[in-house]
């Protein structure tokens, strides 16, 4: 997991509105550990800047000309893998129909564009450290909305067989958007133990981060929409 204690978090802002980019830059550059190193007006430009500037986090708008934020996110995560930047989706609506596809494409989470400055800053730090930015309430609403009409799952991915009973238990709790601390409290174990389980789950299932784990859990039927 990367550490940004000395070098700070390098950020690329991708949005087709110059005023939006300027507003985010003003907020982020005021923080000692954050630095906006580049701005892009569309997905094509974002891809070029990811390659040349090597940001740690990309703030990605969904609707843009030339190439959408969804396609750009998929291209970035496919080209750079785990060593590449984390993508944080910016959207106008918390249940934007395109957000789910962006998460499937490899985004590490999403924020509303009108989020308070302190939450934007905190969100960037969260995804930069490899965590998912997906609150439990948002997870439930988002997944339910896009799986309600889905066809029944006929079989689970074979990779799930590699999980131990405890890892499967952690996987189910993770899929509901619970943090490591919340999972630890639920299972009455230490935070470090949960962190180890989560890392092994992601490795065994070949997942980029916790968001992809959430999507896989619902798509494979491990967790049912609306389940307590």
């Amino acid at each position: 997991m990367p550490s940004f204690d000395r070098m700070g978090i390098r950020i690329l802002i991708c949005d087709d509105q110059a005023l939006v980019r300027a507003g985010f830059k003003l907020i982020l550059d005021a923080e000692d550990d954050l630095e906006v190193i580049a701005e892009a007006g569309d997905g094509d430009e974002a891809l070029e800047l990811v390659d040349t500037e090597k940001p740690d986090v990309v703030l990605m708008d969904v609707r843009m000309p030339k190439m959408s934020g969804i396609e750009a996110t998929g291209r970035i995560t496919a080209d750079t893998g785990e060593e590449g930047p984390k993508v944080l989706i910016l959207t106008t609506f918390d249940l934007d129909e395109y957000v789910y596809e962006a998460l499937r494409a490899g985004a590490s989470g999403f924020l509303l564009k009108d989020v308070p400055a302190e939450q934007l800053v905190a969100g960037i730090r969260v995804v930069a450290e490899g965590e998912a930015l997906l609150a439990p309430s948002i997870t439930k609403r988002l997944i339910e909305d896009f799986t309600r009409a889905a066809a029944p799952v006929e079989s689970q991915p074979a990779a799930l067989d590699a999980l131990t009973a405890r890892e499967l238990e952690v996987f189910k709790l993770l899929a509901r958007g619970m943090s490591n601390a919340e999972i630890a409290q639920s299972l009455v174990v230490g935070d470090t133990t949960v962190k180890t389980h989560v890392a092994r789950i992601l490795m065994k299932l070949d997942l980029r981060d916790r968001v992809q784990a959430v999507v896989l859990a619902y798509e494979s039927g491990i967790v049912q929409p609306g389940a307590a």
Side-chain angles (χ1 to χ4, degrees), residues 186-203:
S186 176
L187 299 179
V188 195
V189 296
D191 288 4
T192 302
T193 299
V194 173
K195 185 176 181 180
T196 299
H197 282 316
V198 171
R200 288 179 63 82
I201 290 167
L202 297 181
M203 179 187 67

Side-chain angles (χ1 to χ4, degrees), residues 5 17 53 98 161 197:
D5 293 340
Q17 298 183 45
E53 302 299 325
Y98 298 108
D161 294 337
H197 282 316

